[in-house]
Amino acid sequence: MSSNQNQYDYWNGEIATNWLKRLEYFERGFSGINAALMAFARLEPGMAVLDVGCGAGTTTEEIAAAVAPGRVVGLDISKPLIEAARARASGAAEYIEADASAYPFTPDFDLVFSRLGLMFFTDPVKSFANLRRALRPGGRLAFLCWCPQAEICYLWEPYQAAHDLLPVLDPTPDNEPGPFGLADRARTACLLQEAGWHDIRIARTTPPSLLGITPGEAAEQVMNMGPLARLLRQADAATTAKVRDRITPVMAKWHTSGGVVPPAACWLVEAFA
Ligand SMILES: C[S@@+](CC[C@H](N)C(=O)[O-])C[C@H]1O[C@@H](n2cnc3c(N)ncnc32)[C@H](O)[C@@H]1O
């Protein structure tokens, strides 16, 4: 049994199917944070890169193109997502279905990379120490994770607008395994230090997130993300419609000629092995 059993169950269940169904929307929303992370990663031809929590492999394929003729391996705990990555693959990347906390890494890589894939560990110190084993001497860790949930305005404000219609939030609190598991910057630095990493640098970034062309489309996307997605899973059609009506005007406040584009709030984290 994995030490990350809850996350194993979560990422091998309904969430993976939903993620794949809405992949195009997630990717569109992530384009700003992706650009910030790719610049931060400083990819160069010839590098060997491990993409941890690679999901359906979008970043892995982008890395493969940037580091050719180098090597990239995408690793994820979710069978459906790794299967989707393999099905979409160009052939330039390898994919492994495994738990990053326990996989027996050998020092084959120059860079351990992750876009939103490292916040879910039950034992972050043990897991970050395990990831260090994947790096050659002098190797670098570069990843992106969410800031505290109250700072992600497009999740928090709609939740505030609609929460009285929904059951009390069964929270995935900040700094517990889950999307906001590395929300606290000082704590993340301590965890990495304890796991043996050095020269740790953590910078805040607030790139735009395109949630939809219209406020209605953005509301639909937000209802499939974060706390609202969890709460609406059990909701009946009437409640879902009421939530949509409450959220759509909230989305309108970020409506521009380019669509609904609120800022995200993320940490860019770097450390050396
Ligand atoms: C928010 S998704 C991000 C996916 C992808 N990096 C992206 O940006 O599209 C988080 C991913 O981390 C994976 N994950 C969670 N815990 C993991 C673990 N212990 N080992 C490997 N992958 C894990 C999940 O299965 C999921 O694919």
Side-chain angles (χ1 to χ4, degrees):
M1 176 152 138
S2 162
S3 68
N4 297 312
Q5 191 63 38
N6 288 347
Q7 293 298 329
Y8 175 89
D9 294 343
Y10 183 73
W11 289 105
N12 281 281
E14 193 195 332
I15 183 79
T17 324
N18 195 42
W19 185 277
L20 290 170
K21 237 191 273 167
R22 298 192 65 83
L23 194 57
E24 197 188 316
Y25 292 95
F26 281 118
E27 285 306 333
R28 188 175 68 172
F30 286 160
S31 66
I33 66 170
N34 192 61
L37 175 60
M38 288 296 173
F40 184 73
R42 302 197 300 269
L43 300 169
E44 281 174 25
M47 280 172 92
V49 182
L50 174 67
D51 184 3
V52 182
C54 66
T58 309
T59 50
T60 323
E61 294 296 321
E62 186 174 342
I63 294 167
V67 304
R71 175 177 181 229
V72 58
V73 175
L75 179 143
D76 202 284
I77 201 169
S78 166
K79 189 181 183 64
L81 291 176
I82 279 290
E83 280 174 357
R86 289 192 179 124
R88 299 162 75 229
S90 65
E94 299 156 56
Y95 290 97
I96 300 174
E97 181 197 333
D99 181 344
S101 301
Y103 189 78
F105 291 114
T106 47
D108 301 328
F109 297 96
D110 303 301
L111 175 71
V112 171
F113 169 102
S114 184
R115 187 182 77 177
L116 300 171
L118 303 187
M119 305 89 82
F120 305 95
F121 301 136
T122 303
D123 185 339
V125 171
K126 185 179 138 226
S127 308
F128 279 123
N130 195 44
L131 289 178
R132 211 157 49 79
R133 296 188 187 105
L135 285 173
R136 296 171 176 155
R140 178 170 172 252
L141 171 69
F143 70 93
L144 179 136
C145 58
W146 296 116
C147 287
Q149 52 196 316
E151 294 177 30
I152 322 288
C153 58
Y154 58 84
L155 295 182
W156 191 247
E157 294 188 28
Y159 173 68
Q160 293 301 320
H163 73 99
D164 60 304
L165 299 170
L166 296 162
V168 175
L169 181 61
D170 117 49
T172 55
D174 289 349
N175 306 315
E176 293 289 331
F180 307 104
L182 298 174
D184 184 300
R185 173 194 192 143
R187 176 178 170 272
T188 301
C190 287
L191 294 173
L192 286 167
Q193 212 169 8
E194 233 183 288
W197 296 87
H198 62 87
D199 290 318
I200 299 155
R201 185 166 69 94
I202 306 182
R204 195 169 188 273
T205 183
T206 55
S209 262
L210 174 57
L211 295 180
I213 302 305
T214 62
E217 197 187 31
E220 201 57 43
Q221 178 61 2
V222 161
M223 288 165 72
N224 280 284
M225 296 165 78
L228 284 173
R230 281 198 308 282
L231 292 173
L232 284 166
R233 228 180 285 155
Q234 313 294 339
D236 58 28
T239 308
T240 305
K242 276 191 210 155
V243 169
R244 188 180 293 109
D245 288 347
R246 290 266 189 98
I247 290 177
T248 306
V250 179
M251 292 294 123
K253 85 186 231 192
W254 297 296
H255 197 194
T256 68
S257 56
V260 178
V261 202
C266 306
W267 299 118
L268 285 167
V269 184
E270 118 174 315
F272 290 83

